[in-house]
């Protein structure tokens, strides 16, 4: 090839100016950084600015590496933003400099050049840079290690970013050459190169790329050759490859399965944590394959037996998955503030040594959980003999691993475990007061996994002793035990519900005392336990003495937290449950709580508007503040009912809701529709003037792609129609077609189906003339979705609607009359006038078809339905 014509030389003064900027941008001072950003943006106007940047990166060897690398990264950002505007000469200069310097002696510069190459490639330039792949592939054969490693680094990034296009006709199928080439490097002397080679091929397993499938046996053989590689990164990539092959080419692995299982067992105990975690994935994937269980015996033994190494004393976080109402609060792990509490176990190892071992055991326990769910009780004969030995072992480390396993299999093997629980639960309750904190914390978790069974037994047998001991653990001196106990207690509350009412004073006593004792992270879990308690016992919490205990500490925290503090989320969520449970008992506290929620919504909306108008000057708000505030307002409206009217009258909440209902974030819309429904029930006089604005928005949100948004919008429409009565008429066309479409969609979740049916029924109740003509299009799914819900007000109004519509359009129900009969029979005790409506329709139908036809028709009924209709309605 002739040398490129394009020769470019930097202007010395320009070069110095750019170097100066690069130096300044490494300053810790943010003001300086901001000015630098602006200057760099201005320099983008000069066509050869990017030449300077590549020059600093590749040619200016006298400069320090961080500065050269930074120059390359700024260039990369320019490529991302303005590549299509680069003049041709500049583009060519950058490309040739990249390829000539991929083998720079510095790993940092090589990596930067590699990132730059892949950024250009991902801008659609693989087509316009035809010599890139051939050139990189030929550089792999270079004698110079740096060149080979640099080229491989770039290829690995290209394979990750552009796997699809590499396997298409657009580029004339380069993988047919590249994959065999990569396989040759599995045996290279350098670990880094071996690792790159495996990582490159791994990108093409899941998509079953043809070029790889042709060489699959040679690939697997080469993987086995690397099994004992001394480089962790290589072992990790080998494990990753085997996990993916298990999913796509099980057939090819089967002959070697025994060796692979043994190998993965070793890797699951690898010194390198990342390798071990990668290997654990193998078990999770294997559990999903329908393979003989015998293969797992060795594996199960591994999980149960604590590793032989001394430093791996099992360090069990409280849980395989911590409990939170909303997953997003999980992220709030700040450092503990205040004084560390004394841990009672002075011989426990520091967290960091054991955390890797914990992740491994967590992963193994998760794998066991999956296996138990797949194989159910078939797993027990393999585990029980071993489990007995572990659970009653005198060494705490061994006992603790047994308790972990007992918890891991709880869900999958529950049926088979029942005969052993009367002996095991009391033993576990004793373990709650073990002198080792790790035993106490894992026991909390395992007991919570059996809470359902505990609650199904007479309360004095297990529930009372379990609750008593768990409450003591909530006040444990060890923070990790507090956390585990609080989480376990919340699970127990969910299962026990009103069974807890007799013990409320005692429970509140403990939870309130924990307020003074807990530090930051555990407070978040305590809020969850209190909120769940309120959800579980409901209005039983509304007694003056309980309110006196519970509200002062909650309000005290509420006053301490600033509006910007994310710790408000769990507290607001907790208060929402408490307000709903306390009902009128919350009145003394409602005004400041209401005001603050409205302010939070208003602040967030204002910040969002600023950010939309000038994104470079104002940062986007955290909308979770607004979502949680809307949810708490819903809780207030539900708990206070008509008592919220004054507060709504004195605020601009409806204007704010109008904005929230149109927010582009689905969770915001979801919460605002819930609030709309609750305010409609509580104080419709304030909502009514806005209905003309709200209804079109509700109509556009009946989109089942966003299940929860759609569900809440549907529910709100139903509540509004009950309040509007005949005035709902003009709005029916905005919503009816969507609702009928949703109720007929396959795979619609149950809750959405039920809400849709209730809302259609309610619309028909207030505007039968408008809805009844469509009866035939929805009557069948309508009946099947409502036959299983309990008698309640919503079901009542929906059935009144359906009866009214049938009287307007009787022919709409003829074809599906058996479904209507079945739905009517699902009522345990309808109100008298509703029963009369049912009676009238059933007898009307019977009289219309005549006795003979009715007998033939009712002979198709299942016996219980026949008996029920005869007994209740005399047909």
């Amino acid at each position: 090839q002739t040398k490129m014509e394009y020769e470019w030389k930097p202007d010395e003064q320009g070069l110095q100016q750019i170097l100066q900027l690069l130096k300044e941008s490494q300053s810790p001072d943010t003001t300086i950084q901001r000015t630098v950003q602006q200057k760099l943006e201005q320099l983008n106007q000069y066509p050869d600015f990017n030449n300077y940047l590549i020059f600093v990166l590749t040619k200016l060897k006298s400069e320090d590496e961080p500065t050269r690398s930074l120059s390359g990264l700024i260039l990369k950002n320019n490529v991302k933003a303005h590549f299509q505007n680069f003049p041709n000469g500049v583009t060519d200069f950058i490309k040739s400099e990249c390829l000539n310097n991929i083998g720079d002696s510095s790993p940092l510069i090589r990596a930067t050049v590699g990132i730059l190459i892949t950024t250009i490639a991902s801008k659609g330039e693989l087509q316009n840079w035809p010599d890139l792949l051939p050139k990189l592939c030929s550089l792999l054969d270079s004698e110079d290690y740096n060149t080979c490693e640099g080229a491989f680094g770039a290829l690995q990034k290209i394979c990750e970013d552009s796997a699809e296009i590499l396997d298409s006709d657009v580029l004339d199928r380069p993988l047919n050459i590249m994959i065999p080439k990569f396989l040759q490097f599995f045996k290279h002397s350098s670990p880094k190169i071996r690792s790159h080679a495996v990582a490159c091929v791994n990108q093409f397993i899941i998509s079953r790329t043809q070029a790889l499938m042709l060489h699959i046996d040679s690939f697997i053989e080469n993987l086995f050759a690397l099994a004992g590689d001394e480089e962790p990164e290589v072992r990790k990539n080998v494990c990753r490859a085997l996990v993916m092959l298990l999913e796509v080419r099980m057939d090819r692995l089967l002959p070697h399965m025994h060796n692979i299982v043994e190998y993965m067992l070793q890797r699951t105990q690898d010194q390198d944590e990342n390798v071990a975690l990668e290997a654990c994935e193998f078990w999770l994937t294997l559990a999903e394959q329908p393979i003989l269980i015998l293969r797992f015996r060795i594996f199960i033994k591994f999980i149960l037996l604590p590793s032989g190494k001394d430093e791996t004393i099992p360090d069990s976080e409280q849980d395989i998955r911590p409990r939170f109402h909303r997953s997003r609060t999980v992220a709030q792990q700040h450092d503990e503030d205040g004084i560390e509490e004394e841990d009672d176990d002075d011989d426990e190892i520091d967290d960091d040594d054991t955390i890797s071992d914990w992740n491994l055991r967590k992963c193994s326990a998760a794998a066991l959980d999956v296996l138990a769910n797949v194989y159910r009780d078939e797993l027990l004969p393999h585990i029980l003999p071993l489990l007995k030995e572990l659970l009653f072992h005198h060494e705490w480390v061994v006992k603790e691993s047994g308790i972990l396993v007992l918890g891991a299999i709880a869900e999958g093997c529950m049926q088979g475990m029942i005969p052993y629980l009367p002996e095991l639960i009391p033993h576990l309750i004793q373990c709650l007061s073990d002198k080792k904190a790790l035993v106490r914390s894992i026991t909390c978790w395992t007991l919570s996994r059996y809470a359902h069974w505990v609650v199904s037994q007479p309360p004095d047998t297990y529930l009372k002793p379990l609750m008593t001991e768990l409450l003591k653990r909530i006040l444990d001196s060890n923070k990790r035990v507090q956390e585990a106990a609080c989480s376990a207690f919340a699970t127990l509350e969910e299962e026990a519900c009103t069974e807890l009412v007799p013990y409320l004073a005692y429970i509140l006593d403990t939870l309130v005392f924990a307020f003074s004792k807990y530090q930051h992270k555990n407070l978040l879990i305590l809020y969850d336990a209190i909120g769940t308690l309120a959800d579980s016992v409901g209005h039983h919490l509304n007694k003056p003495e309980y309110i006196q205990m519970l509200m002062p500490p909650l309000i005290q925290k509420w006053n301490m937290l600033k509006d910007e503090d994310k710790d408000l989320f769990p507290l607001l969520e907790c208060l929402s449950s408490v307000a709903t449970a306390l009902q009128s008992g919350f009145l003394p506290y409602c005004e400041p709580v209401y005001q603050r929620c409205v302010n939070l919504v208003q602040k967030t909306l204002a910040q969002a508007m600023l950010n939309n108008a000038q994104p470079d000057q104002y940062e986007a708000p955290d909308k979770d503040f607004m979502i949680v505030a809307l949810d708490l307002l819903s809780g207030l409206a539900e708990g206070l009912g008509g008592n919220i009217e004054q507060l709504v009258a004195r605020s601009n909440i409806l204007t704010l809701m109008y904005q929230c209902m149109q927010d582009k974030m689905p969770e915001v819309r979801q919460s605002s529709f819930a609030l709309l429904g609750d305010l409609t029930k509580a104080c419709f006089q304030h909502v009514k003037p806005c209905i003309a604005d709200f209804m079109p928005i509700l109509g556009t949100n009946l989109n089942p792609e966003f299940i929860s948004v759609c569900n809440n919008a549907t529910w709100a429409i139903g509540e509004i129609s009950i309040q509007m009565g005949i005035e709902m008429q003009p709005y029916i066309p905005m919503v009816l077609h969507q609702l009928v479409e949703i109720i007929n969609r396959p795979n619609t979740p149950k809750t959405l189906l039920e809400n849709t049916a209730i809302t259609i029924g309610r619309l028909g109740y207030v505007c039968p003339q408008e809805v009844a003509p469509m009866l035939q299009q929805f009557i069948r799914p309508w009946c099947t979705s409502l036959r299983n819900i309990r008698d309640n007000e919503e079901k009542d109004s929906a059935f009144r609607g359906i009866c009214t519509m049938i009287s307007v359009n009787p022919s709409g129900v003829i074809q599906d009359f058996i479904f209507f009969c079945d739905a009517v029979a699902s009522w345990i005790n309808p109100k008298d006038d509703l029963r009369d409506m049912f009676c009238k329709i059933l007898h009307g139908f019977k009289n219309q078809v005549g006795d003979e036809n009715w007998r033939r028709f009712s002979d198709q009924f299942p016996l219980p339905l026949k008996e029920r209709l005869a007994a209740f309605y005399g047909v």
Side-chain angles (χ1 to χ4, degrees):
Q1 287 185 329
T2 49
K3 189 156 184 347
M4 293 185 55
E5 307 307 306
Y6 184 77
E7 278 295 341
W8 175 87
K9 294 273 182 296
D11 163 62
E12 193 50 44
Q13 198 183 350
L15 185 60
Q16 286 314 316
Q17 188 190 347
I18 284 174
L19 283 173
Q20 181 59 34
L21 274 180
L22 291 170
K23 292 273 193 289
E24 282 172 6
S25 78
Q26 295 169 56
S27 148
D29 183 339
T30 44
T31 357
I32 297 183
Q33 283 180 11
R34 235 177 259 131
T35 358
V36 172
Q37 269 321 105
Q38 287 164 345
K39 286 189 187 155
L40 288 173
E41 273 308 308
Q42 289 159 1
L43 287 171
N44 265 316
Q45 299 157 13
Y46 300 101
D48 64 350
F49 170 48
N50 292 300
N51 284 359
Y52 280 93
L53 291 175
I54 189 84
F55 182 86
V56 174
L57 172 65
T58 58
K59 293 237 197 302
L60 208 59
K61 309 266 162 118
S62 54
E63 267 311 317
D64 61 288
E65 287 177 13
T67 303
R68 289 171 58 199
S69 170
L70 186 63
S71 180
L73 294 175
I74 292 170
L75 174 55
K76 175 206 73 162
N77 290 337
N78 289 345
V79 167
K80 266 199 171 135
H82 323 289
F83 192 65
Q84 63 290 353
N85 309 334
F86 284 17
N88 280 347
V90 174
T91 305
D92 293 341
F93 181 54
I94 292 174
K95 286 179 177 177
S96 72
E97 279 302 298
C98 281
L99 286 175
N100 295 338
N101 290 277
I102 190 75
D104 192 283
S105 58
S106 147
L108 179 64
I109 303 298
R110 286 202 298 276
T112 309
V113 172
I115 291 171
L116 189 50
I117 289 177
T118 34
T119 309
I120 296 172
S122 66
K123 292 300 266 186
E125 286 295 305
L126 274 175
Q127 294 93 304
N128 308 336
W129 192 354
D131 57 339
L132 171 63
L133 293 171
K135 177 79 172 153
L136 286 176
C137 283
S138 69
L139 290 175
L140 293 181
D141 296 322
S142 159
E143 294 293 300
D144 173 49
Y145 168 79
N146 293 337
T147 305
C148 174
E149 198 273 324
F152 239 135
L155 278 166
Q156 182 179 334
K157 292 191 189 80
I158 292 173
C159 290
E160 285 166 10
D161 292 349
S162 314
E164 274 175 36
I165 192 167
L166 289 174
D167 190 26
S168 65
D169 288 328
V170 183
L171 298 178
D172 197 22
R173 304 221 169 252
L175 290 179
N176 294 339
I177 298 159
M178 287 162 67
I179 284 185
K181 180 107 188 159
F182 294 153
L183 289 174
Q184 295 169 6
F185 284 86
F186 277 34
K187 302 197 165 74
H188 195 276
S189 59
S190 148
K192 191 100 196 263
I193 305 276
R194 295 196 297 273
S195 174
H196 280 314
V198 184
C200 284
V201 181
N202 280 359
Q203 299 306 319
F204 305 102
I205 299 176
I206 290 291
S207 57
R208 299 183 167 80
T209 303
Q210 191 53 41
L212 175 56
M213 291 305 138
L214 290 172
H215 299 90
I216 194 80
D217 289 327
S218 129
F219 174 45
I220 291 175
E221 205 177 306
N222 277 302
L223 281 176
F224 287 165
L226 292 176
D229 201 292
E230 78 268 12
E231 172 64 29
E233 201 52 31
V234 175
R235 297 196 301 274
K236 185 178 93 184
N237 284 330
V238 169
C239 288
R240 185 168 290 172
L242 289 170
V243 170
M244 292 190 286
L245 285 168
L246 194 56
E247 278 182 46
V248 301
R249 290 309 301 262
M250 182 70 153
D251 55 320
R252 283 289 186 258
L253 294 186
L254 269 178
H256 315 285
M257 209 56 191
H258 190 73
N259 296 338
I260 294 177
V261 167
E262 295 259 327
Y263 173 67
M264 284 298 184
L265 274 175
Q266 291 171 3
R267 289 288 70 80
T268 314
Q269 303 173 72
D270 199 285
Q271 260 72 45
D272 185 284
E273 184 194 353
N274 293 324
V275 179
L277 285 173
E278 202 59 60
C280 277
E281 282 296 318
F282 177 82
W283 305 112
L284 292 173
T285 309
L286 187 60
E288 287 155 11
Q289 310 290 338
I291 268 204
L292 290 173
I293 190 154
L294 295 170
R295 300 255 157 87
F296 300 142
R297 281 191 172 169
I298 17 176
F299 157 57
I300 289 165
K301 283 202 165 140
F302 156 71
I303 296 180
L304 300 182
L305 301 171
S307 359
K309 302 177 298 216
D310 267 356
E311 73 272 20
T312 56
I313 293 177
D315 174 289
S316 58
E317 288 281 67
Q318 105 284 1
D319 180 12
I320 293 187
R321 309 177 261 280
R323 259 187 57 98
F324 275 98
H325 277 235
R326 285 221 181 84
S327 50
R328 59 168 158 269
T329 40
V330 177
Q332 268 72 78
Q333 291 173 335
H334 304 276
D335 293 328
E336 307 291 355
D337 30 41
I339 313 143
E340 278 291 325
E341 294 156 53
E342 281 301 309
D343 261 4
D344 55 348
D345 288 10
D346 38 19
D347 56 351
E348 268 185 38
I349 299 171
D350 221 30
D351 273 2
D352 297 339
D353 303 344
T354 48
I355 212 77
S356 65
D357 194 55
W358 161 236
N359 280 338
L360 257 182
R361 291 172 70 251
K362 177 161 74 169
C363 208
S364 303
L368 191 49
D369 185 10
V370 171
L371 289 178
N373 273 304
V374 174
Y375 292 101
R376 303 277 160 185
D377 296 343
E378 289 172 46
L379 198 63
L380 288 177
H382 306 270
I383 287 192
L384 282 173
L386 220 62
L387 199 50
K388 281 211 175 90
E389 198 180 309
L390 300 172
L391 283 171
F392 296 92
H393 203 280
H394 58 275
E395 278 187 52
W396 72 270
V397 185
V398 182
K399 179 162 77 175
E400 194 266 358
S401 71
I403 298 172
L404 172 64
V405 169
L406 187 58
I409 62 172
E411 200 185 332
C413 304
M414 182 55 96
Q415 273 324 101
M417 285 308 294
I418 286 176
Y420 306 97
L421 294 178
E423 180 194 357
L424 287 176
I425 298 293
H427 175 62
L428 288 172
I429 292 175
Q430 267 186 313
C431 294
L432 280 175
S433 43
D434 194 279
K435 50 181 201 306
K436 286 290 172 192
L438 289 171
V439 175
R440 298 198 300 277
S441 63
I442 197 67
T443 306
C444 289
W445 176 69
T446 293
L447 277 163
S448 75
R449 303 267 289 176
Y450 290 96
H452 184 74
W453 181 84
V454 167
V455 171
S456 71
Q457 305 298 304
D460 284 354
T461 330
Y462 307 107
L463 177 61
K464 206 172 160 186
L466 171 57
M467 193 182 60
T468 314
E469 284 306 311
L470 265 182
L471 288 170
K472 288 183 194 158
R473 293 293 65 83
I474 286 179
L475 304 177
D476 199 290
S477 58
N478 177 294
K479 267 192 275 197
R480 183 174 282 168
V481 179
Q482 296 170 2
E483 180 185 9
C486 236
S487 272
F489 195 71
T491 307
L492 185 65
E493 291 169 337
E494 277 177 349
E495 292 289 350
C497 292
T498 48
E499 298 270 338
L500 298 177
V501 173
Y503 316 108
L504 265 173
Y506 181 44
I507 293 172
L508 286 169
D509 223 13
T510 304
L511 295 181
V512 168
F513 187 69
F515 260 115
S516 57
K517 190 174 165 68
Y518 276 21
Q519 299 184 5
H520 175 237
K521 183 180 162 204
N522 285 350
L523 268 178
L524 308 187
I525 299 170
L526 183 60
Y527 293 142
D528 177 45
I530 290 173
T532 309
L533 181 67
D535 294 338
S536 303
V537 300
H539 65 90
H540 296 284
L541 200 56
N542 187 7
K543 291 216 169 64
E545 63 273 28
Y546 298 159
I547 297 175
Q548 244 344 90
M549 292 169 78
L550 184 57
M551 289 308 297
L554 282 174
I555 295 296
Q556 187 205 351
K557 295 287 179 203
W558 165 269
N559 291 332
M560 279 163 50
L561 290 171
K562 295 195 177 59
D563 276 356
E564 297 69 47
D565 194 327
K566 288 198 174 161
D567 284 2
L568 267 179
F569 300 162
L571 177 56
L572 287 164
E573 244 171 71
C574 168
L575 278 170
S576 173
S577 296
V578 170
T580 309
L582 291 185
Q583 299 170 342
S584 59
F586 198 78
L587 269 173
Y589 308 97
C590 65
E591 190 155 357
V593 173
Y594 180 89
Q595 262 331 111
R596 185 170 192 178
C597 287
V598 174
N599 289 343
L600 281 169
V601 175
Q602 191 154 7
K603 270 190 184 173
T604 313
L605 286 171
Q607 178 77 19
M609 284 174 73
L610 288 172
N611 167 256
N612 279 336
Q614 298 166 291
D616 41 348
Q617 305 216 331
Y618 297 97
E619 55 182 271
D622 180 343
K623 288 191 178 168
D624 282 351
F625 283 105
M626 174 156 77
I627 294 165
V628 184
L630 289 166
D631 289 345
L632 176 43
L633 287 168
S634 280
L636 285 176
E638 195 183 331
L640 298 173
N643 287 320
I644 201 171
E645 183 272 324
Q646 280 295 295
L647 296 170
V648 174
R650 294 199 298 265
S651 70
N652 60 341
I653 185 64
L654 287 152
T655 321
L656 299 175
M657 276 164 62
Y658 180 63
Q659 291 173 267
C660 293
M661 287 158 65
Q662 299 174 77
D663 198 277
K664 53 182 187 298
M665 187 171 175
E667 290 81 0
V668 176
R669 301 201 301 277
Q670 171 187 333
S671 293
S672 59
F673 294 141
L675 178 55
L676 173 60
D678 282 316
L679 288 179
T680 298
K681 288 171 80 168
C683 53
F684 189 62
Q685 68 268 41
H686 297 306
V687 178
K688 194 170 179 185
C690 313
I691 290 298
D693 294 325
F694 288 174
M695 282 308 299
I697 303 175
L698 286 163
T700 51
N701 277 281
L702 295 176
N703 165 10
E705 257 180 75
F706 299 105
I707 294 288
S708 305
V709 178
C710 182
N711 186 56
N712 290 1
T714 303
W715 174 72
I717 292 167
E719 291 297 341
I720 288 168
S721 61
I722 292 289
Q723 301 286 342
M724 291 284 283
I726 191 69
E727 294 177 66
M728 196 67 186
Q729 215 173 342
Y731 305 113
I732 301 258
M734 295 180 185
V735 297
L736 186 58
H737 280 277
Q738 297 94 301
L739 292 168
V740 172
E741 202 173 302
I742 291 168
I743 204 169
N744 282 294
R745 261 176 49 125
N747 303 331
T748 305
K750 197 160 96 328
T751 316
L752 179 55
L753 273 180
E754 290 165 2
N755 273 320
T756 307
I758 286 169
T759 294
I760 292 175
R762 290 177 151 190
L763 289 170
Y765 180 51
V766 297
C767 299
Q769 300 299 334
E770 281 63 31
V771 187
M774 310 245 332
L775 196 52
Q776 205 181 333
Q777 295 178 40
F778 61 75
I779 184 71
R780 190 169 175 169
W782 191 95
C783 290
T784 48
S785 57
L786 289 189
R787 66 185 296 270
N788 294 324
I789 70 169
R790 288 202 299 267
D791 298 4
N792 62 22
E793 282 304 310
E794 299 190 345
K795 185 173 174 176
D796 180 88
S797 55
F799 270 84
R800 286 170 195 275
I802 215 80
C803 292
T804 316
M805 288 187 277
I806 291 173
S807 57
V808 172
N809 176 17
S811 62
V813 75
I814 297 290
Q815 288 180 337
D816 297 305
F817 199 68
I818 186 166
F819 290 95
F820 176 71
C821 295
D822 178 53
V824 166
S826 75
W827 277 87
I828 311 293
N829 41 9
K831 293 185 182 154
D832 291 344
D833 57 336
L834 181 60
R835 179 186 301 231
D836 295 343
M837 293 168 100
F838 292 158
C839 233
K840 211 165 120 195
I841 292 173
L842 292 169
H843 282 278
F845 185 83
K846 183 179 172 178
N847 298 339
Q848 201 188 340
V849 297
D851 285 351
E852 182 52 35
N853 284 335
W854 174 260
R855 213 192 64 240
R856 267 204 302 246
F857 174 64
S858 62
D859 277 346
Q860 313 164 24
F861 290 2
L863 197 60
L865 172 57
K866 210 173 178 170
E867 289 171 349
R868 195 134 190 184
L869 289 176
F872 279 74
Y873 302 101
V875 293

